[in-house]
Amino acid sequence: TERSMSLYHQSVYKVLHLLQTTFSLFHSEQTVRTCKPASTDWDTSPSHQLITVRPSSSQFFSGDSVTLSCDLHPSNISRTTRTRESQCGQWWGEPVNSSCYIHYLVMWDSGMYWCENRDGETSERINITITDSSVLLQSPVLPVMEGQDVSLSCRSKNAPSNHTASFYRGAALIGTSHSGHMTLPGVSRSDEDFYSCSISGAQSESSWISITASTLTPPTSQAPPTAQAIPTAVWAPLSAVCAVALLVVVCVCCRE
């Protein structure tokens, strides 16, 4: 009869819909099991821009000269001082290609300096201090990698030749050198601190020395995901649904 055929078609439709839903869930679970990428904290983004200082120091006397350069061309040297942010050539410095030459440093040239190119890539910001003291500490202006040696030099404005200098970490004396030079061997992150020096009682400004972690090792490459056997947890409900569906179809056919 038409009513029986209608019931039959409705039953078959419900069974097929139930089977489709079950297979969709199964496919979703298999996708999660085989295609989810492993998470990693390893950062692969490179540092594209670098600023260099010649002579390499974070402290200078008034009247000294300095050249700052960028490794990407074209780039501009910018700075932030106590008064404002500006670029080389705006009332200070002489821009030459991607470098900036400051012929005569004065106290208000103290500040943060960095490179920036047209694509917005910026370098590390470095701190340069112009001191009116008779003594200064020459130390790395850029962060030092763990395991490297750090060279410190104590320079006197009045006595340019070798002289006895004392070196400090914070307020603690860490050594005395008759040549005015000192080396910190194989530094680690625990060596990050403010450093200074003195000659004949005249004290330098303090400079912060940053230590960066050693180069990260890339994560071990993983084989691409492979197909996995259908787990029992999925086979069991799938078999039950197929059995029920078959039983419904048989019952409907028998009623006809």
Side-chain angles (χ1 to χ4, degrees):
T1 65
E2 292 184 1
R3 185 172 183 278
S4 298
M5 290 299 297
S6 177
L7 291 174
Y8 171 75
H9 287 302
Q10 290 178 14
S11 300
V12 172
Y13 174 79
K14 290 180 180 179
V15 169
L16 292 176
H17 179 70
L18 184 58
L19 288 174
Q20 182 182 9
T21 303
T22 304
F23 279 110
S24 297
L25 292 174
F26 167 71
H27 177 72
S28 175
E29 181 171 344
Q30 286 298 96
T31 302
V32 172
R33 286 174 177 269
T34 59
C35 300
K36 185 178 181 180
S39 61
T40 175
D41 294 329
W42 187 64
D43 186 7
T44 59
S45 57
S47 177
H48 296 289
Q49 183 72 286
L50 180 68
I51 185 171
T52 56
V53 182
R54 295 188 303 270
S56 181
S57 180
S58 58
Q59 294 185 18
F60 294 90
F61 290 124
S62 294
D64 283 349
S65 59
V66 65
T67 300
L68 301 100
S69 302
C70 307
D71 66 333
L72 291 185
H73 308 285
S75 294
N76 295 316
I77 303 288
S78 299
R79 77 178 186 183
T80 299
T81 61
R82 293 181 180 179
T83 56
R84 61 175 181 170
E85 179 178 319
S86 56
Q87 289 186 350
C88 179
Q90 297 177 344
W91 307 103
W92 63 274
E94 179 183 347
V96 180
N97 295 326
S98 294
S99 298
C100 182
Y101 176 66
I102 305 178
H103 175 68
Y104 193 96
L105 290 165
V106 292
M107 294 290 292
W108 54 79
D109 287 318
S110 295
M112 303 295 295
Y113 290 74
W114 69 94
C115 294
E116 184 170 356
N117 64 11
R118 292 176 179 175
D119 296 329
E121 292 174 314
T122 60
S123 69
E124 185 100 20
R125 294 185 178 226
I126 60 173
N127 183 57
I128 292 180
T129 301
I130 316 304
T131 179
D132 59 353
S133 173
S134 60
V135 174
L136 63 74
L137 175 71
Q138 288 184 321
S139 60
V141 65
L142 291 171
V144 180
M145 189 173 294
E146 276 187 315
Q148 292 184 339
D149 297 343
V150 172
S151 297
L152 304 176
S153 296
C154 203
R155 176 184 163 198
S156 173
K157 192 172 186 178
N158 303 322
S161 58
N162 291 344
H163 37 257
T164 301
S166 298
F167 294 87
Y168 301 85
R169 176 180 175 179
L173 177 67
I174 57 174
T176 300
S177 169
H178 297 293
S179 64
H181 304 280
M182 183 179 183
T183 300
L184 306 177
V187 295
S188 64
R189 294 296 295 273
S190 61
D191 292 312
E192 277 193 338
D193 212 329
F194 284 100
Y195 290 81
S196 61
C197 68
S198 66
I199 298 175
S200 301
Q203 189 79 21
S204 74
E205 301 275 357
S206 294
S207 286
W208 178 263
I209 295 181
S210 296
I211 313 296
T212 61
S214 301
T215 304
L216 294 175
T217 303
T220 304
S221 59
Q222 298 180 353
T226 56
Q228 299 178 0
I230 301 176
T232 304
V234 176
W235 264 121
L238 184 60
S239 301
V241 169
C242 291
V244 171
L246 182 60
L247 182 60
V248 170
V249 172
V250 171
C251 290
V252 171
C253 292
C254 290
R255 292 181 62 182
E256 292 182 346

